[in-house]
Amino acid sequence: MQFGTFHLCGRLESMDDDTESGTGGEGAGFKQQQQQQQQEEEEGDPMGTVVVGFSFMAKKMETMAEVGLSHAEVMTVGPMDGVEFFPLNFSERPEEHRPLDVILHKLSEDIMFRDVQPEGDARLSWIEAYLDRNPKTAILDPIDRVSNCINRVTTLKLLDEAYRRHGTAGGMPRPPRFMVLEDHEPSDPGADGGIVPRNGLAFPVICKPVEACGTRGSHTMVVVLDQAGMTALTPPVVVQECRSHGAKLFKVCVIGDEVRVHERPSLPDLPPGLTGSFVFDSQRPYPTLEEVKAASAATRARSARLQGQPHTAGNNGDDSNPTSSSEEVPGQVRQANGERSGSSSKPPLPQPKGLRDRDPDIRQTSACTPTGAVASASTTTTWSSPSSSRQPSRAKPSPSPAVSPEAAAAAAAATLPAARAKSPFLSLEAARLAARRMRETFGLSLFGFDLIVDRVTGETFVIDVNYFPSFKDLADFPQVLRRRLKEVVATAGRKPGAEGLPSNEQADW
């Protein structure tokens, strides 16, 4: 795994007007300056240069350059805006390293795979050893807290607990209902309709890898439109309810007390009658409704051929596109045989063979399993909805489908006329309150989270949390980051707050 580092690092220097400079390096003035410099290194001086050491994986270094913190700038001699940047030198012993005020890092992959990657474990152990020896040095953000948002199951459980504690009235957005699929769904779902309705969810559902980073498929999502699409999944995966949200996503960026909101396009609202599944990369442009419908039509046609039946268009709107057939789909979609037709400026949809460690260049739509195919039995671990107090439990078959009212309402929302649907809206005040709750929940200072607003109920949902995202929507990110780093140093040693704590302090939540 490629690794790169660069750091924000420097010495605190006195800015007092009454300090004697001395001449020739001798005399009382020079001795006084030495004593004051030593005292500043021990106690810190908010008027001096902030010394920040930081270490990023190579990919993060590239994104930092995109937002104005290039490697050349970081390595420039001398401080900029009161902050000086240097790489952490892991080849030195922690006790020999230059003094630091703050450690800034994006080592999510090291944290995720610490138990199996010795090099990553060594880097994290070095940071921990340095902080143990320098308790006044702050870290953005503490390693144990970052670990809570790189595993999607852990993240959703924390969001669920926070929602139970605060609720919508307390400013906490609601997490989606979810389950964890740990084994393959059988081809015959049984009388109860399959694992999804058995666990209180309704199709369509969106399925995500458990790992939120560190694998080639971490950002590859599968939307399962009906029971036939379940065969596209390679467990374990997190299965979440889909909410009609007007194809509008609100990305919230948090840097300390600074909260910014940016609106982006999202998945389209999906009408009933679609079949199979489709896959997309959440870091690339989302597929359009027309492309999803075409993928569904191709899946339906393949299923009909496998069963020896003539293909007829379903009620998913495919009849409106007479040029589409089982062999013709938009350029973003690959057919089951890997051939591509049409053209599109966007990359093709990824192949839904598995969500972990797959070749990122293989893309195609999914097809349903032929009748009579055999698959292993499904086993899931299920977390109940925020309105329930049940603990995680093994999902067991029930005599009849038990789709929750919330899930049924979400599934029916796409059928409402546009006149009855609300245009999703998120106020800055709501985003700020949500950011406050998220900071309390995760104890982070540099993070982002994604919100959607249900276009029928108007309820806000939090669907993703990311530590230290690209912040590419913030034109002034370098200045905001430097300001935050100085704030952390200025508050070090005071009563602990929500983030940016000295390494020997603990948060009070």
Side-chain angles (χ1 to χ4, degrees), residues 218-494:
S218 294
H219 301 286
T220 301
M221 314 293 166
V222 178
V223 175
V224 178
L225 301 166
D226 62 358
Q227 181 62 35
M230 292 295 291
T231 56
L233 303 178
T234 299
V237 292
V238 177
V239 182
Q240 295 180 6
E241 65 176 334
C242 282
R243 288 273 171 167
S244 294
H245 56 284
K248 189 179 294 186
L249 180 71
F250 298 95
K251 298 195 77 69
V252 184
C253 300
V254 182
I255 305 177
D257 294 327
E258 191 81 18
V259 178
R260 306 282 183 87
V261 183
H262 302 275
E263 182 180 321
R264 287 188 182 177
S266 183
L267 281 177
D269 294 339
L270 303 173
L274 300 174
T275 188
S277 62
F278 66 91
V279 187
F280 66 96
D281 186 332
S282 62
Q283 294 187 322
R284 296 184 178 184
Y286 289 78
T288 66
L289 180 57
E290 289 71 22
E291 290 167 333
V292 173
K293 286 181 177 180
S296 174
T299 297
R300 192 182 302 278
R302 286 193 296 269
S303 179
R305 288 201 306 272
L306 289 170
Q307 298 179 31
Q309 301 173 356
H311 168 57
T312 57
N315 63 342
N316 57 12
D318 296 326
D319 290 320
S320 62
N321 186 4
T323 61
S324 292
S325 69
S326 60
E327 303 300 333
E328 295 180 359
V329 293
Q332 186 177 352
V333 178
R334 281 189 186 271
Q335 302 170 45
N337 60 9
E339 296 178 356
R340 185 176 177 182
S341 61
S343 62
S344 172
S345 59
K346 292 188 290 184
L349 294 174
Q351 179 181 8
K353 291 180 61 178
L355 297 180
R356 302 172 63 182
D357 297 324
R358 79 174 72 141
D359 186 344
D361 293 326
I362 298 177
R363 313 233 193 306
Q364 69 176 34
T365 58
S366 64
C368 60
T369 300
T371 302
V374 178
S376 58
S378 295
T379 304
T380 66
T381 301
T382 306
W383 278 266
S384 56
S385 69
S387 60
S388 169
S389 59
R390 292 181 298 166
Q391 297 296 318
S393 60
R394 289 285 180 185
K396 297 180 180 180
S398 57
S400 61
V403 178
S404 69
E406 296 91 343
T415 65
L416 290 178
R420 293 181 55 190
K422 302 176 183 178
S423 177
F425 171 77
L426 179 72
S427 69
L428 181 57
E429 291 74 19
R432 286 174 174 166
L433 184 53
R436 176 182 175 185
R437 295 305 183 204
M438 300 291 283
R439 287 170 62 186
E440 293 172 351
T441 300
F442 292 93
L444 298 174
S445 180
L446 300 172
F447 68 101
F449 57 98
D450 295 345
L451 299 177
I452 60 172
V453 178
D454 190 295
R455 74 185 184 106
V456 177
T457 66
E459 190 173 12
T460 302
F461 287 78
V462 53
I463 59 172
D464 199 13
V465 182
N466 296 290
Y467 170 63
F468 208 155
S470 67
F471 293 117
K472 61 184 179 182
D473 291 319
L474 276 67
D476 59 343
F477 171 68
Q479 293 78 20
V480 175
L481 177 61
R482 290 189 179 97
R483 183 165 64 245
R484 178 59 194 157
L485 292 169
K486 290 187 284 188
E487 291 172 352
V488 168
V489 174
T491 58
R494 300 179 185 176

Side-chain angles (χ1 to χ4, degrees), residues 20-35:
E20 298 182 21
S21 60
T23 57
E26 299 179 355
F30 178 73
K31 292 181 180 180
Q32 181 180 355
Q33 186 178 22
Q34 282 186 316
Q35 293 173 354

Side-chain angles (χ1 to χ4, degrees), residues 103 105 139-143 146 443-447 467 499-500:
I103 290 179
H105 71 92
I139 179 171
L140 297 184
D141 277 302
I143 292 171
V146 174
L444 298 174
S445 180
L446 300 172
F447 68 101
Y467 170 63
E499 72 292 307

Side-chain angles (χ1 to χ4, degrees), residues 5 7 9 86-100 122-123 125-130 133-134:
T5 62
H7 302 77
C9 181
F86 292 95
L88 288 177
N89 188 352
F90 293 113
S91 63
E92 291 183 345
R93 300 194 323 188
E95 59 269 25
E96 297 174 349
H97 199 278
R98 65 192 311 160
L100 302 173
R123 286 188 284 268
S125 297
W126 189 100
I127 292 174
E128 292 167 341
Y130 183 91
R133 299 184 65 89
N134 301 274

Side-chain angles (χ1 to χ4, degrees), residues 91-131:
S91 63
E92 291 183 345
R93 300 194 323 188
E95 59 269 25
E96 297 174 349
H97 199 278
R98 65 192 311 160
L100 302 173
D101 296 307
V102 188
I103 290 179
L104 178 68
H105 71 92
K106 178 66 183 286
L107 299 175
S108 303
E109 295 180 21
D110 285 352
I111 298 172
M112 171 70 75
F113 301 107
R114 184 171 191 173
D115 293 340
V116 296
Q117 291 186 352
E119 291 184 1
D121 177 62
R123 286 188 284 268
L124 298 174
S125 297
W126 189 100
I127 292 174
E128 292 167 341
Y130 183 91
L131 295 175

